[in-house]
């Protein structure tokens, strides 16, 4: 009998320990109204105190561009789809690059950098900051983005993110990518020449769908682009679109840039042309695949985006180019990813599992074009309202995702309670983020117009 009592006490103590452990790991979702949230008030303080230096005089705009191939010499983890569990790719379908354009007006230097990656990993961002020297363009003036291909180099994610997105962590990978970014900027800086600027906008109807809620939701069909033409007739075409780079399936174990690679290659084949692409508001947006295989569908999507872009309308109202780069910290509150409608993980558990990195918002005013880079999969459903607002202020707005930080998906607030991957599994920071990000972008429009 005494032995039985000892066993029962042990079980009771074990149960209490388990309950205590669970209590330390689990909490309730934070439903604090947006305008009462600390992070919202913090952002308003940051943006109200922000100062910008705009080069607006008659100084000539200079531009130079370059690319650096960072395709691994041997196969490594393929990032993009969790079901792959980081298995190495089997062959190279097409090489992956970092592409950079460097801009100078007066004493202001800025760079726009796009990499053929799933995201610009926070680990790479931190490594990049370490590698930049005082002679390089400051990190705050480097506008980062990714093509968001789900078939590129992995190995850069730490913790659980490595398991689900990028495969086993390898610090050599983040070094290689950061080195490629630095090299591309330095190479582009060596080829600066006077350049003129033109904005172009096209419609990609039939090329993009709402993959979250279908016809119940909106799409962002606009293909946004700008061209820099130098006096030597060399031309750069920067393009952004909202369709996810997910034409290639998780079963295709080939390194590839997916459909944006087809688009960029088509631009590169034009006489004296250099193509560059950055994923736009890809959250909730998917490509429309047409083809017997995913490789054929990839080629079709890339070619159709290219053909649509060529029919785009030019903006003839451009004034003397303004160059204003900006990086501001972006308060988000504590992460509380939901387990159910009533329960969520505590922030310390999430940070321990995924790592804890700072998040910023980046902006670059170039003439009457405003690029805003956000650290997330930003939903295309949110674009119409803020795009319309920017145009009332005389700006052509281009929002790009994956700016060097990452905080999950930002979707339209009306879908917050939807039990889907984007709205639950990948929503780490709670409700009202759609409204919050729209307001952040509106604040930047007002600051930089």
């Amino acid at each position: 009998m005494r032995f039985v009592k000892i066993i029962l006490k042990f079980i009771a103590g074990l149960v209490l320990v388990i309950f205590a452990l669970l209590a330390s790991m689990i909490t309730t979702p934070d439903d604090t109204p947006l305008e009462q949230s600390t992070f919202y008030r913090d952002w308003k303080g940051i943006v109200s105190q922000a100062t910008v230096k705009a080069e607006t005089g008659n100084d000539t705009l200079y531009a130079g561009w370059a690319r650096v191939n960072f395709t691994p010499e041997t196969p490594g983890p393929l990032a993009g789809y969790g079901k792959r569990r980081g298995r190495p790719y089997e062959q190279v379908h097409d090489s992956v690059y970092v592409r950079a354009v460097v801009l100078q007006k007066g004493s202001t230097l800025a760079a726009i950098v796009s990499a053929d990656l799933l995201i610009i990993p926070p680990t790479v961002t931190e490594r990049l900051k370490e590698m930049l020297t005082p002679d390089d363009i400051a990190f705050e003036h480097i506008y980062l983005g990714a093509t968001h291909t789900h078939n590129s180099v992995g190995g850069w994610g730490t913790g659980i993110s490595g398991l689900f997105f990028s495969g086993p962590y390898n610090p050599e990978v983040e070094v290689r990518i950061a080195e490629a970014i630095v090299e591309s900027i330095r190479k582009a800086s060596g080829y600066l020449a006077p350049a003129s600027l033109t904005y172009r906008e096209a419609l990609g109807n039939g090329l993009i769908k709402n993959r979250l809620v279908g016809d119940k939701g909106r799409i962002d069909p606009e293909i946004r682009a700008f061209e820099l033409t130098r006096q030597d007739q060399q031309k750069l075409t920067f393009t952004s679109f909202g369709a996810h780079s997910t034409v290639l399936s998780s079963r295709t174990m080939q390194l590839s840039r997916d459909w944006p690679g087809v688009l960029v290659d088509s631009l590169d084949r034009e006489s004296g042309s250099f193509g560059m692409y950055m994923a736009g508001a890809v959250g909730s947006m998917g490509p429309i695949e047409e083809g017997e295989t995913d490789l054929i569908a990839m080629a079709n999507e890339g070619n159709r985006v290219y053909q649509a872009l060529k029919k785009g309308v030019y903006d003839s109202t451009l004034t003397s180019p303004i160059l204003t780069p900006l990086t501001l910290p972006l308060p988000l509150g504590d992460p509380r990813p939901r387990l159910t409608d009533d329960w969520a993980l505590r922030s310390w558990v999430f940070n321990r599992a995924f790592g804890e990195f700072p998040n910023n918002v980046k902006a670059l005013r170039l003439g009457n074009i405003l690029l805003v880079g956000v650290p997330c999969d930003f939903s295309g459903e949110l674009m119409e309202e803020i795009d319309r607002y920017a145009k009332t202020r005389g700006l052509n707005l281009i929002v790009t995702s994956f700016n060097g930080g990452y905080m999950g998906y930002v979707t339209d607030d009306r879908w917050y309670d939807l039990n889907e991957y984007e709205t639950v599994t990948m929503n780490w920071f709670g409700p009202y983020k759609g409204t919050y990000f729209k307001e952040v972008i509106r604040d930047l429009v007002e600051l930089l117009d």
Side-chain angles (χ1 to χ4, degrees), residues 184-214:
S184 69
I185 295 172
R186 291 174 180 171
K187 286 178 66 176
S189 298
Y191 293 96
L192 293 176
S196 59
L197 173 70
T198 308
Y199 178 75
R200 189 197 294 186
E201 205 167 85
L203 286 178
N205 290 318
L207 305 175
I208 190 170
K209 65 186 178 184
N210 189 312
R211 69 177 196 176
L212 179 64
V213 293

Side-chain angles (χ1 to χ4, degrees), residues 26-27 37 45 59 97 183 193 203 216 319 348 354 447:
I26 296 174
T27 184
S37 300
D59 291 321
Y97 297 87
E183 183 183 353
L203 286 178
K216 296 179 182 178
T319 56
W348 74 266
F354 283 88
L447 179 65

